[in-house]
C-alpha cells in the first residue's frame, strides 16, 4: 500500500467484498448451517460493488485515514476495508438493525452500532474522521441538516468529513409507493421530521446548487475539496432495472462501471442523467 502505484480503490473494495462473502460461506459450511445471513454473504460475492459505488466508495477509499473514525455509510464495506488495512479504528452505525446484524456476521472485527445519524450516541469530539457515503440524501425532513450538525459535534477540531451525495440541476425528491426501509422504520420521520402529506413515501433527496450549500454547509466547515461527476452511460438504471437477473453479472460491472463517470463543473451540468454525485472533503476548523 505504500510507494509505487496503488491498487485502484474499487479493486481493493471488490476483493475485500469477496473475502468477506466467501469467509462467511466457508464458516457456515463448516458449521453445517446456513444461518440468517446467507443472502447478504452471497450478495457480497455476486455484487461486490453496485454501479455508483465504484466512484463513491472508491473516491473515499482513496483518502488516508488514521485515529478514531466513524462510518455513516451504506454498505459497511468501506469501513470494513479500511479497518482491515489498518487505516483508522472504525466504528460503523446504521438505523437498520438487520443491516448491523448482517455486517456483524460478515466482519466480526468491526465495531458496529444501531444508531440514528440525527442523534449520534457518541461524546463531543470523539472522532478524527467521518465517512458519509450515500446516506445523507435518504434522511427525510430536516434530518439531513440535523445529521450534519451531529457529525460536526462528534468530530474533533481539525477532524475531516468525507461525504458523497446526489445532485441535480434542480432540487428534487424521489418518492416511492411504499417506504423502501419500512421493515426497520428507517424511512419513518423522527420527531420534527414530519413528511408534508404528498403522495408516496420519501426515498431520497437530490440537491440543487443552492440547497446543497444551504442544507449541508450551514456550519463553518473549511471546504478542502468539491468534485462533481455524472455517469457517461446509464449503467446504474439499467443494472437495477434488470434485477435480480443482473445480479448474476455483478462481477462484470468493472468492465463498464469502473470508469463510467466524467467530471462536471456542477449540478447544472448533470444534463440528461437523472442525477450526478458530489464528493466533499470538509474539515472542522481547529
Amino acid at each position: 500500500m505504500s510507494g509505487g502505484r496503488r491498487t485502484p480503490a474499487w479493486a481493493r473494495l471488490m476483493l475485500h467484498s469477496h473475502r468477506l462473502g466467501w469467509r462467511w460461506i466457508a464458516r457456515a459450511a463448516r458449521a453445517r448451517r446456513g444461518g440468517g445471513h446467507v443472502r447478504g454473504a452471497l450478495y457480497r460475492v455476486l455484487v461486490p460493488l453496485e454501479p455508483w459505488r465504484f466512484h463513491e466508495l472508491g473516491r473515499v477509499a482513496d483518502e488516508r485515514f488514521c485515529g478514531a473514525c466513524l462510518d455513516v455509510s451504506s454498505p459497511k464495506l468501506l469501513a470494513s476495508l479500511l479497518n482491515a488495512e489498518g487505516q483508522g479504528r472504525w466504528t460503523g452505525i446504521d438505523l437498520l438493525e438487520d443491516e448491523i446484524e448482517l455486517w456483524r456476521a460478515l466482519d466480526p472485527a468491526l465495531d458496529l452500532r444501531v444508531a440514528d445519524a440525527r442523534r449520534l450516541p457518541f461524546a463531543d469530539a470523539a472522532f478524527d474522521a467521518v465517512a458519509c457515503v450515500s446516506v445523507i440524501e435518504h434522511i427525510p425532513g430536516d434530518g439531513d441538516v440535523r445529521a450534519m450538525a451531529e457529525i460536526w459535534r462528534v468530530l474533533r477540531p481539525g477532524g475531516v468529513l468525507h461525504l458523497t451525495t446526489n445532485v441535480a440541476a434542480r432540487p428534487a425528491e424521489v418518492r416511492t409507493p411504499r417506504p423502501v426501509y419500512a421493515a426497520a422504520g428507517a424511512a419513518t420521520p423522527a420527531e420534527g421530521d414530519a413528511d408534508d402529506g404528498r403522495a408516496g413515501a420519501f426515498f431520497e433527496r437530490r440537491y440543487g446548487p443552492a440547497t446543497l450549500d444551504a442544507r449541508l454547509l450551514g456550519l463553518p466547515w473549511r471546504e478542502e475539496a468539491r468534485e462533481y461527476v455524472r455517469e457517461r452511460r446509464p449503467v446504474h438504471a439499467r443494472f437495477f432495472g434488470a434485477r435480480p437477473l443482473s445480479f448474476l453479472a455483478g462481477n462484470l460491472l468493472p468492465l463498464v462501471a469502473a470508469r463510467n463517470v466524467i467530471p462536471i463543473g456542477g449540478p447544472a451540468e448533470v444534463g440528461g442523467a437523472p442525477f450526478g454525485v458530489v464528493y466533499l472533503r470538509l474539515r472542522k476548523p481547529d
Side-chain angles (χ1 to χ4, degrees):
M1 292 298 299
S2 62
R5 186 175 179 180
R6 298 181 66 201
T7 303
W10 63 262
R12 290 159 48 213
L13 287 157
M14 285 194 69
L15 288 170
H16 189 64
S17 183
H18 275 282
R19 282 195 294 267
L20 293 174
W22 285 119
R23 186 173 64 190
W24 188 94
I25 291 167
R27 284 201 308 262
R30 287 196 299 269
R32 297 183 181 180
R33 57 183 176 82
H37 306 294
V38 64
R39 285 188 180 181
L42 284 173
Y43 195 78
R44 295 267 54 88
V45 171
L46 293 174
V47 189
L49 287 178
E50 295 167 356
W52 263 112
R53 302 298 177 261
F54 280 83
H55 172 72
E56 290 184 291
L57 293 180
R59 178 63 187 84
V60 179
D62 265 337
E63 296 289 313
R64 294 293 189 179
F65 292 87
C66 62
C69 302
L70 176 65
D71 183 45
V72 188
S73 303
S74 183
K76 299 301 169 212
L77 184 62
L78 175 69
S80 179
L81 170 69
L82 296 174
N83 204 58
E85 291 179 341
Q87 292 200 63
R89 304 180 305 277
W90 284 85
T91 298
I93 69 156
D94 201 292
L95 190 56
L96 294 170
E97 187 172 353
D98 289 349
E99 184 76 359
I100 292 297
E101 289 180 359
L102 167 64
W103 279 93
R104 281 175 177 160
L106 290 173
D107 187 356
L110 202 55
D111 179 10
L112 295 166
R113 322 275 182 92
V114 177
D116 189 333
R118 296 165 289 194
R119 294 182 294 274
L120 292 172
F122 306 109
D124 295 357
F127 295 99
D128 298 284
V130 176
C132 183
V133 175
S134 188
V135 164
I136 203 80
E137 67 268 21
H138 294 291
I139 307 177
D142 288 331
D144 55 344
V145 179
R146 293 165 58 189
M148 289 295 290
E150 278 291 274
I151 290 171
W152 173 278
R153 180 183 66 79
V154 302
L155 266 176
R156 66 166 178 79
V160 179
L161 166 63
H162 302 270
L163 181 144
T164 74
T165 191
N166 296 343
V167 295
R170 291 180 294 277
E173 285 189 359
V174 176
R175 306 180 76 83
T176 56
R178 290 175 295 278
V180 173
Y181 305 118
T188 302
E191 183 179 354
D193 288 338
D195 216 337
D196 59 10
R198 283 179 290 171
F202 174 86
F203 173 63
E204 71 177 19
R205 181 181 294 105
R206 293 171 183 172
Y207 295 95
T211 56
L212 180 71
D213 285 9
R215 298 185 71 88
L216 302 187
L217 301 178
L219 292 164
W221 295 100
R222 188 162 77 238
E223 186 176 309
E224 296 184 343
R226 182 187 295 228
E227 301 166 4
Y228 295 97
V229 298
R230 66 170 175 83
E231 282 191 307
R232 296 176 187 270
R233 292 172 287 178
V235 174
H236 175 89
R238 290 174 181 172
F239 182 76
F240 284 103
R243 70 181 186 269
L245 287 177
S246 59
F247 291 170
L248 299 177
N251 281 284
L252 298 178
L253 278 172
L255 299 176
V256 292
R259 295 173 180 83
N260 189 45
V261 297
I262 55 174
I264 57 176
E269 297 180 24
V270 169
F275 63 92
V277 162
V278 63
Y279 163 75
L280 294 167
R281 184 169 68 242
L282 305 170
R283 190 175 297 274
K284 182 177 179 179
D286 291 308

